[in-house]
Amino acid sequence: PEPGTILCDEGKVAFPGVVDDWFNLLNLGKTFTGVANSDSHSENNLGYPRTYVYMGTDDPAFLDQEVMVDALQAQRVTMSNGPFLEFWVNGEPIGSRIEDNDGTVDLKIRVQAPHWIEVNQLTIIVNGLDQIVETFEMENGSYTWEKELQLNRDSWLIAVVRGEKSMFPVVLPKDVPPFQLSDAFSTLAGPLGFGSSTLSPIAPKRTGIPKPLGLTNPIWVSVDSTPGFDPPGMAPRKCVDYGVV
């Protein structure tokens, strides 16, 4: 294997995702801002996913380039393919740096989404590891969650919300698996009594199903008297199938 390749059992190659790489950088004290994407490769995914930048106002007339650059560099950013996610620690928003001597922090999340986006799980990630995982139900397109958390060392915290229901047809799947011409004929003619198919009555199954996901940038919390933030270092990882967790 090439240098840097991660091998799992039986020599299988693991492929960590971009978020895994980002978490490792944060654990090493590298404060790179996470964004949802950098470009679009087709007309089907324009505006999806999105990077939301907090700039102090919703009125475009009062926005300028310097304010946006400052907000991006300060990590006042949340990423989403649908749900809009806000996150506070001790009342301070995404991107903040907090001193908390007793290590007990107050967490607050607010998630909003249109009716066609079903969000039902939240996760609090601390130093790259899942610390809290809970399910919830939206009410009138909104949900607010609050909880205390004890930290035993300097930590960065990220909030994540997810859903299991596909956002099709508003957001299209990434691809459709290939199928044989006979399958296509059976799919069309089957309902008329001409043949059968192992596929769906009206179409082949889609892959790469788009599901709701919202992810914040970190809030940095220092819990000791040492000035600045002491990064935790690389989190322990293990291989699961072809992934690293």
Side-chain angles (χ1 to χ4, degrees), residues 5-6 8 12-18 20-21 239-244:
T5 299
I6 300 175
C8 294
K12 295 179 180 179
V13 178
F15 298 95
V18 174
D20 299 299
D21 294 339
C239 293
V240 175
D241 297 326
Y242 290 98
V244 176

Side-chain angles (χ1 to χ4, degrees), residues 35 135 193 217 235:
V35 295
T135 58
N217 268 261

Side-chain angles (χ1 to χ4, degrees), residues 79-86 109-123 134-145 159-167 210-215:
M79 300 159 275
S80 174
N81 65 2
F84 183 72
L85 177 60
E86 299 171 276
I109 288 175
R110 181 166 63 226
V111 56
Q112 302 173 72
H115 66 87
W116 51 272
I117 294 179
E118 183 179 294
V119 186
N120 57 16
Q121 184 186 91
L122 68 85
T123 304
E134 295 187 8
T135 58
F136 64 90
E137 291 186 11
M138 300 276 283
E139 185 174 348
N140 298 322
S142 180
Y143 178 76
T144 300
W145 174 90
V160 183
V161 293
R162 295 182 175 90
E164 291 301 316
K165 187 177 179 180
S166 172
M167 295 191 295
K211 297 179 180 180
L213 175 66
L215 175 71

Side-chain angles (χ1 to χ4, degrees), residues 179-204:
F179 58 97
Q180 301 297 321
L181 182 61
S182 58
D183 287 327
F185 175 79
S186 297
T187 298
L188 295 174
L192 302 178
F194 300 101
S196 62
S197 173
T198 59
L199 301 173
S200 163
I202 59 173

Side-chain angles (χ1 to χ4, degrees):
E2 296 181 1
T5 299
I6 300 175
L7 295 179
C8 294
D9 294 339
E10 301 177 359
K12 295 179 180 179
V13 178
F15 298 95
V18 174
V19 174
D20 299 299
D21 294 339
W22 182 45
F23 285 177
N24 285 332
L25 290 170
L26 296 177
N27 276 334
L28 294 174
K30 309 297 184 181
T31 57
F32 295 110
T33 301
V35 295
N37 69 342
S38 60
D39 62 345
S40 296
H41 293 262
S42 72
E43 68 279 3
N44 291 333
N45 60 0
L46 293 175
Y48 157 80
R50 296 185 178 185
T51 300
Y52 293 95
V53 184
Y54 178 73
M55 301 172 63
T57 178
D58 292 332
D59 189 341
F62 293 95
L63 306 181
D64 60 50
Q65 295 178 358
E66 291 185 2
V67 174
M68 173 169 281
V69 170
D70 290 344
L72 283 166
Q73 291 180 336
Q75 298 184 306
R76 295 196 292 269
V77 174
T78 184
M79 300 159 275
S80 174
N81 65 2
F84 183 72
L85 177 60
E86 299 171 276
F87 181 38
W88 297 266
V89 175
N90 290 353
E92 300 297 325
I94 299 165
S96 296
R97 291 182 173 270
I98 299 170
E99 300 285 338
D100 190 281
N101 293 330
D102 66 2
T104 301
V105 293
D106 296 316
L107 311 180
K108 181 179 179 180
I109 288 175
R110 181 166 63 226
V111 56
Q112 302 173 72
H115 66 87
W116 51 272
I117 294 179
E118 183 179 294
V119 186
N120 57 16
Q121 184 186 91
L122 68 85
T123 304
I124 299 296
I125 296 173
V126 179
N127 293 338
L129 302 175
D130 293 355
Q131 187 71 32
I132 299 174
V133 180
E134 295 187 8
T135 58
F136 64 90
E137 291 186 11
M138 300 276 283
E139 185 174 348
N140 298 322
S142 180
Y143 178 76
T144 300
W145 174 90
E146 298 183 52
K147 196 166 192 172
E148 278 191 355
L149 177 66
Q150 183 68 39
L151 303 174
N152 57 16
R153 60 154 300 133
D154 291 358
S155 303
W156 55 265
L157 292 82
I158 281 176
V160 183
V161 293
R162 295 182 175 90
E164 291 301 316
K165 187 177 179 180
S166 172
M167 295 191 295
F168 179 84
V170 177
V171 181
L172 300 179
K174 293 186 180 300
D175 52 32
V176 174
F179 58 97
Q180 301 297 321
L181 182 61
S182 58
D183 287 327
F185 175 79
S186 297
T187 298
L188 295 174
L192 302 178
F194 300 101
S196 62
S197 173
T198 59
L199 301 173
S200 163
I202 59 173
K205 294 182 179 180
R206 296 177 175 86
T207 61
I209 297 174
K211 297 179 180 180
L213 175 66
L215 175 71
T216 73
N217 268 261
I219 298 176
W220 305 79
V221 183
S222 178
V223 299
D224 55 36
S225 57
T226 305
F229 183 88
D230 183 21
M234 298 280 284
R237 300 290 185 182
K238 63 179 180 179
C239 293
V240 175
D241 297 326
Y242 290 98
V244 176
V245 298

